[in-house]
Amino acid sequence: MTRATYSEARLADHVDRLGAEHPPIDLASVDFTVRRPDELNHRYGHVLDYMARVELEVDRNVLELTTLLPDPPAIDRRFYADVWQPQEIRHGLILDELQVQLGRPAATPDLTTVGAKLRVLGALAHLTAFQDVCRMLYYLTGMATERSAVLAYNLLHDGVAAMGETAVAQTVIAPIRRQEPGHYAFYMLSARGLWQQLAGWQRWTVRRMRALSFAPVGANDARQAADFGAVMRSLHAGAPDDFAEQISRVERDLLWAHRSGLRVPPYVAKAFREAVELAHLRRPA
C-alpha cells in the first residue's frame, strides 16, 4: 500500500468517525444558566462575541473554499460539508445566544465577502499544479485556526469554571472544545500527506504565499486584529511568541525544517505580536 493510499484511507476513516461520534451539538442539551451575568460579561463578553463571529462565518469560509478550490478531493468536500460546517455553525449559534442572554448585541458575521486576492488564486487553481498549492494553504490555515480554537476554548473553559459558572462551562464550552481537535487532526493529516507530494517550486510558492497572507483567525483587518489581541489578553494566553509557537509547530516542521532552530515562523510571531500591540494601544488609560 502506498503512502498516498494509506493517507487517503486514514482521512476517510477519520471523517467517518467525526461524523458518527460528534454530531452537531443538540441545542436542547445547552444550559444557559448564569449565576453572575454582569461579571461574566465584563470578563468574557467580548471573547464570546469574537468566537461567535468567527464560528458563524463558516458559511463565508465555504464560499472562499469553493472559490479557492474549484475541484477539491472528495474527502475535503465530505469534511467541510458534512462535518465541519454543521458543527461550526452550531458552535456559533450557541455562543451567540449566550452573549445575547448576557445583554450583548448579537454577532455580526460577514457571510458573503470573498476578497479579490482569493478570487485570483481561485482562477489560477484551475491549473492542477497550482490547486495543490492552494490546497496546502487551505490546510495550513485550517491547522492554525483549529489549534487556536483548541487553546482558546481550553482557557475560556478554565476561566468560566473558576468563576463558578458550571452550566456554561459544562454545557456550552466543554462540548464545543471537544469537537475542535478532530478538525485540527483532519487538517494536520491532510497537510502532512500533501506536503510530501509537492514539487520544489510548489513548496517555495507555499512558503512565500503563506508568509504574505498569514493572519490570526478572524483577524481580517487592523480592528479585528486588535480584537484578537484583546481576546488573548482576557484569556491570559501568555506571551505572543509562546502562543504562536503552540499553534504553528506542525507548520514550522513541515515548511521550515530546513531552518534548524527556528522556534516560530517569523510571520506567525509578527502577526501575534502586532495583535497584542494593537489591543494595548486601543485599551483605555
Side-chain angles (χ1 to χ4, degrees):
M1 182 178 290
T2 66
R3 178 189 294 268
T5 302
Y6 174 76
S7 177
E8 290 169 4
R10 187 178 180 189
L11 272 174
D13 288 345
H14 180 67
V15 172
D16 288 342
R17 186 166 59 254
L18 288 180
E21 297 179 3
H22 297 282
I25 298 168
D26 182 0
L27 293 177
S29 70
V30 180
D31 183 354
F32 291 106
T33 300
V34 177
R35 296 173 60 247
R36 292 178 292 174
D38 290 343
E39 185 172 348
L40 183 62
N41 183 32
H42 175 71
R43 290 192 187 183
Y44 296 120
H46 68 102
V47 175
L48 295 172
D49 180 59
Y50 194 93
M51 290 179 163
R53 176 181 65 80
V54 171
E55 300 278 20
L56 289 171
E57 286 182 341
V58 65
D59 284 342
R60 191 197 74 219
N61 298 150
V62 171
L63 285 177
E64 292 173 338
L65 279 174
T66 56
T67 300
L68 184 65
L69 302 177
D71 186 26
I75 191 64
D76 285 23
R77 284 199 198 93
R78 280 183 52 208
F79 170 71
Y80 67 68
D82 298 340
V83 176
W84 177 69
Q85 184 180 25
Q87 289 181 359
E88 299 285 84
I89 285 290
R90 194 62 59 84
H91 297 173
L93 292 174
I94 291 169
L95 293 172
D96 205 32
E97 177 61 25
L98 175 59
Q99 75 161 344
V100 168
Q101 295 211 14
L102 293 177
R104 300 178 59 86
T108 54
D110 178 354
L111 302 180
T112 59
T113 302
V114 177
K117 292 181 180 179
L118 204 61
R119 294 182 186 278
V120 171
L121 287 178
L124 292 172
H126 286 281
L127 303 172
T128 301
F130 199 82
Q131 180 164 210
D132 286 343
V133 170
C134 293
R135 280 176 59 206
M136 192 68 203
L137 292 169
Y138 159 54
Y139 298 147
L140 292 170
T141 299
M143 274 201 302
T145 296
E146 300 300 341
R147 183 61 179 157
S148 295
V150 170
L151 296 173
Y153 283 123
N154 283 341
L155 293 169
L156 180 61
H157 176 272
D158 292 348
V160 170
M163 293 178 62
E165 299 293 354
T166 305
V168 171
Q170 293 183 354
T171 74
V172 175
I173 310 303
I176 292 175
R177 74 170 180 172
R178 197 174 298 128
Q179 294 187 335
E180 301 293 353
H183 303 169
Y184 173 77
F186 173 83
Y187 294 121
M188 181 183 66
L189 291 170
S190 299
R192 288 189 184 278
L194 181 57
W195 186 252
Q196 300 305 317
Q197 301 172 27
L198 297 182
W201 73 267
Q202 291 172 309
R203 292 185 176 192
W204 182 91
T205 304
V206 169
R207 290 189 185 104
R208 181 63 176 163
M209 296 182 68
R210 183 65 170 161
L212 291 172
S213 64
F214 179 84
V217 54
N220 302 305
D221 53 37
R223 178 182 61 81
Q224 291 178 345
D227 291 341
F228 182 87
V231 167
M232 288 183 61
R233 182 177 61 215
S234 294
L235 292 177
H236 303 289
D241 283 16
D242 293 338
F243 194 87
E245 182 177 14
Q246 291 183 76
I247 74 155
S248 61
R249 284 173 182 157
V250 175
E251 179 168 338
R252 176 198 63 197
D253 293 345
L254 283 179
L255 274 64
W256 306 100
H258 61 298
R259 292 191 183 179
S260 58
L262 183 69
R263 181 186 171 200
V264 186
Y267 51 87
V268 179
K270 180 174 182 285
F272 280 89
R273 289 173 195 158
E274 288 180 348
V276 171
E277 289 169 2
L278 286 168
H280 179 73
L281 290 172
R282 191 176 64 183
R283 189 175 190 174

